[in-house]
Amino acid sequence: MSSRVPHDESRNENIETITKASVVLPSKVENEEVISRRGVIKQVLAGLAIASSTLMTGFTSAWPVVLPKLQESSQSFQVTDQDVAWLVSLQGMVGMFTSLVSGHLVEYFGPRKLLLMCLLPTFGLWMLMAFTPYLSLLYISRVGLSISTYLIKSFFQAYIAELCQPRIRGAIAALPEIIIAIGVLATYTLANFFSYEFVTAVLSAPFLPLFIIVIFIPESPYWLARRNRMEEAKSSLKKLRGKRTRWRESYTYSLIPTKLSHQHGHRSAS
């Protein structure tokens, strides 16, 4: 019984060391980095562009408000109350299954590439919903937009956090909720004055320019480092924080706690 006490104490000391490293080291490294004002502006613009992708959530959540106008308009197909109920509930139903695979997709493709993949078909899907000649295509478009919406919701906050330094991370991370509210408000306002076709077509407008903007945003340096693509991670970090960024310290900042945890796991197993 007494022989186990020193072992438990040393184990607790190791855990305490790991905890201190993971808490103290990031702030120390961050204070040592020299980040230019231009680098901060780049991070703000990148975070704003990523946050703007959450317009999708606001638009798709509020879009059913225009369905009564679709029922009233003369179409080549009839939209019943049952169709309206299905179209409203499809987003949540699709989201349940999309959320199950979203984490694996982000880790496989990377947040930037997956964001581009979500934004690419969005403009066409909104336009297809606006001017579809068939009810079946309306359902397909709704499902496609719901998939894109829930995929973006699963990783946009992490992507923002990995691109922005802590001093501005909190402010940028708060923007998506504001943008979602703006999207909902804009949809309700437009639906009050304009036709179904016009409102749905207008909702497609932001996503083509947004797709072009995201092309110029660098990939997450942390995701690149996890994939052992060190040179690309270094390039991404310098694009975001300036050429004078101390790569060795920033890289250590992201990976040392993980390495210490692994070392602790090996020691415990032995």
Side-chain angles (χ1 to χ4, degrees):
M1 185 68 179
S2 60
S3 61
R4 294 181 58 185
V5 174
H7 176 72
D8 292 339
E9 290 180 353
S10 62
R11 183 176 179 179
N12 292 334
E13 289 177 0
N14 289 336
I15 294 174
E16 185 179 357
T17 303
I18 294 168
T19 305
K20 288 181 178 180
S22 62
V23 174
V24 177
L25 183 58
S27 60
K28 180 180 179 181
V29 172
E30 189 65 35
N31 291 334
E32 290 177 355
E33 286 187 6
V34 178
I35 303 174
S36 64
R37 182 179 299 178
R38 186 177 180 182
V40 173
I41 293 174
K42 286 181 179 180
Q43 294 173 51
V44 170
L45 293 177
L48 181 60
I50 297 167
S52 297
S53 65
T54 58
L55 275 173
M56 181 92 71
T57 302
F59 288 168
T60 55
S61 299
W63 172 80
V65 74
V66 300
L67 287 176
K69 291 193 173 184
L70 176 61
Q71 290 180 290
E72 296 170 0
S73 63
S74 57
Q75 294 283 344
S76 58
F77 57 89
Q78 183 180 4
V79 179
T80 65
D81 290 341
Q82 187 175 3
D83 291 320
V84 171
W86 276 107
L87 288 168
V88 171
S89 59
L90 265 178
Q91 181 172 350
M93 295 171 61
V94 171
M96 288 191 298
F97 297 100
T98 303
S99 300
L100 296 175
V101 299
S102 59
H104 300 286
L105 293 176
V106 174
E107 193 61 30
Y108 182 80
F109 291 106
R112 175 180 172 272
K113 186 178 291 185
L114 187 58
L115 181 58
L116 289 171
M117 292 167 63
C118 292
L119 293 174
L120 180 60
T122 301
F123 177 82
L125 290 172
W126 279 111
M127 295 301 290
L128 184 60
M129 281 209 306
F131 304 107
T132 178
Y134 305 109
L135 181 61
S136 58
L137 291 179
L138 184 63
Y139 275 93
I140 292 172
S141 302
R142 177 68 168 166
V143 169
L145 288 173
S146 299
I147 292 173
S148 294
T149 298
Y150 274 85
L151 284 176
I152 292 173
K153 285 174 67 175
S154 69
F155 67 87
F156 73 87
Q157 286 285 14
Y159 192 19
I160 290 174
E162 291 175 355
L163 292 186
C164 300
Q165 63 185 114
R167 73 181 70 174
I168 62 172
R169 187 179 296 158
I172 301 299
L175 287 177
E177 295 299 326
I178 299 173
I179 292 173
I180 291 172
I182 291 173
V184 172
L185 179 62
T187 305
Y188 279 122
T189 303
L190 290 170
N192 194 42
F193 296 103
F194 301 103
S195 66
Y196 166 84
E197 292 82 3
F198 181 84
V199 173
T200 307
V202 167
L203 296 183
S204 69
F207 297 106
L208 188 58
L210 189 58
F211 172 81
I212 297 173
I213 292 171
V214 173
I215 292 175
F216 299 98
I217 296 177
E219 182 58 273
S220 164
Y222 298 104
W223 180 81
L224 291 169
R226 290 198 302 270
R227 309 291 287 188
N228 291 322
R229 295 158 61 175
M230 303 306 177
E231 289 302 318
E232 294 177 63
K234 180 179 179 180
S235 176
S236 175
L237 196 66
K238 287 189 174 183
K239 286 179 182 178
L240 288 166
R241 303 194 178 187
K243 295 182 178 180
R244 294 184 179 180
T245 300
R246 296 177 182 178
W247 159 248
R248 184 180 299 275
E249 292 180 348
S250 298
Y251 173 67
T252 304
Y253 157 52
S254 65
L255 294 186
I256 274 187
T258 303
K259 288 184 177 181
L260 285 172
S261 300
H262 288 172
Q263 291 174 3
H264 168 64
H266 290 312
R267 289 175 181 174
S268 299
S270 60

